[in-house]
Amino acid sequence: MDDVTLFCTDGKSVQSLLEACKDFGKASGAKINVDKSQAKLFGRWDLCNEPLPFPVVAGLLKILGIWFGGPAAVAKSWNERLAKVKQKLGFWSLRHLSIEGKALVLRNDALPVLQYVTQAWPLLANVARAVNSMVFHFVWHSKMDRVKRTVIHKEHRKGGKAVPDILTILRAFFVCGCVRVNLTNENKDHSAYKVFRFFLLPVWRRLGWDKWENATMFNWDLPWYYKEIEKFVVEFGLNCVTPSLWKPRTIHRLIRSRDTTEPVSDLPPATATRVWENVSSPSLTNRHKDIAWMAVKGGLPVRSFMHSRGLCPHRECPRGCPAEETTYHLFWACPFAQRLRGALKQEMEAHIPYPNITHHSVLYGLFPKTHSVEAIQGCWRILCCVKDILLYART
């Protein structure tokens, strides 16, 4: 037998347990390895009259990868997982991934490692800061964020990059577990139901999810790890969500559905939606999607951007232009950009007449509606290739 955790109330129950294991071993051939087994005592135990056949652990006890036994167990459980995530992201950082690829790594490789701990412990404040730091250092390959963190979590159609909001997901996973065990009818017979209800009944009452029962015992002194539940519900205004809908994926989708569409300067909201659709067009490569998105959000490392953050001594265009190098100048107004587009005039006119291409076409993928979708997408792909060359061929 391996990885079995059992609860005994006294020495007699321990002896009964050993007898049951021996009977099971006679039939199956399995045997308890006493040297690898451990016992953790809670409350009063008379070890003189009722000795245990297992070594007694005085400190923390690890069960299925999670530490228990005291306040230090929470930090130790999270620190071990953080070390694993840091190692994973370090390996992936050696590859030149797009933001789309990094979002996939965070969602499928990093998140499950952290999510496992939330089955037992809530997210600590210092752990949240460490996770945030690792995630965005991995995304930008730098300590400096190019775009606001609240934006990058949004869906593509709303102007984001769909990078998973790991902190919110982890918090939702812990809270959903507590809510579903205690408030859904399917868990009334759960072994932990009465324990949860004893501690959490005042919280459910304040949230309007339950009513007082004088025949039920409850505790006014809420343990610190359960305070996260009420904080999370109030912070995101989830009081109206029925307990049966408290599933991590459902709650996260509900929170993300409240995100507003990112505006685009000098463009109406309806046009901004078209811009974000163009930026995340399936016809573009992930690299070109990143360039197009950061061009709209102002996150490209042009001289004006770098100078404003103290990373460059001047703002002028590195190609000898006296003008300030902004995204608009780099992709549209710079003479070098104009010559490069002129050299590709024939290729672009195969899709859209060259005079119809404006700075809105170059930056946002906006063309006159008289052209077909295929023609617009073809010209948009060429322009994104041109922007790729203009950005990474600078001195």
Side-chain angles (χ1 to χ4, degrees), residues 26 171 182 329:
K26 292 177 182 179
R171 294 175 66 192
N182 196 228
H329 175 83

Side-chain angles (χ1 to χ4, degrees), residues 251-266:
I251 294 300
H252 184 254
R253 285 178 178 173
L254 176 60
I255 294 173
R256 292 268 69 91
S257 67
R258 299 172 181 175
D259 291 336
T260 57
T261 302
E262 282 294 300
V264 179
S265 59
D266 302 327

